[in-house]
Amino acid sequence: MSEARRGMLFMAGFAGAWAITEALEILLLARYSLYQVTWVRFLVQSVMVLAICGVSRQGVPWHTPRPLLQLARAAAMLALTVAGARSLQYQVSPAAILLGLWAFPALLLLMTASMPGERAGVAGWSAVVAGYCAVLLAIQPTASDLAASVYPIVM
């Protein structure tokens, strides 16, 4: 099997696992709080990363040449989770939160385009637009959801 085909299979596995994870979260949110579901998800992901590192003998995942960058990323993920959960407590609709989250790939491409030597190509922008359109079809937001999702991005 070629490296490209193996990579595509791993990508398909990732997409399938992500879809299953999101479907399970919807089922769990009917019985448990957002905080419980989110923290269990992080715990399971952490255990899986440690298990994968042990099986593949790649060493411990926290040995990195850029520890501050990794800590900043972890802090950002924590802030994202807490902010999303708190916004639900202030009556922001889940659809607006999801729309805002799915708009961030476009912001990342804009940031990439502003960096020297980096370029956001047509394929990247096409993927972002297609993904956002799929989210719009799946969520079917109201006009107020759309407005609420744009407000934090504009700020």
Side-chain angles (χ1 to χ4, degrees), residues 2-147:
S2 72
E3 289 293 315
R5 187 171 301 253
R6 186 175 292 131
M8 289 170 52
L9 285 173
F10 277 116
M11 184 177 65
F14 167 77
W18 187 299
I20 291 168
T21 299
E22 295 300 322
L24 290 173
E25 276 192 26
I26 290 169
L27 294 173
L28 289 171
L29 286 171
R31 296 189 65 191
Y32 302 100
S33 76
L34 178 63
Y35 287 113
Q36 289 173 304
V37 173
T38 300
W39 294 117
V40 167
R41 179 180 184 174
F42 283 145
L43 177 66
V44 169
Q45 287 173 343
S46 298
V47 168
M48 290 177 70
V49 165
L50 292 172
I52 289 168
C53 288
V55 169
S56 66
R57 300 194 187 335
Q58 290 182 357
V60 291
W62 50 83
H63 283 208
T64 175
R66 298 181 180 159
L68 292 177
L69 183 62
Q70 294 296 343
L71 287 173
R73 182 184 178 280
M77 292 295 291
L78 177 63
L80 170 79
T81 303
V82 171
R86 294 289 295 173
S87 64
L88 286 173
Q89 291 175 334
Y90 289 101
Q91 307 306 314
V92 175
S93 77
I97 294 169
L98 287 173
L99 288 171
L101 285 175
W102 282 97
F104 284 113
L107 292 175
L108 288 175
L109 280 181
L110 285 172
M111 287 177 14
T112 299
S114 70
M115 296 176 150
E118 295 292 331
R119 152 169 206 267
V122 173
W125 282 107
S126 298
V128 166
V129 169
Y132 199 74
C133 288
V135 169
L136 288 173
L137 288 172
I139 295 174
Q140 297 181 353
T142 64
S144 63
D145 290 334
L146 287 169

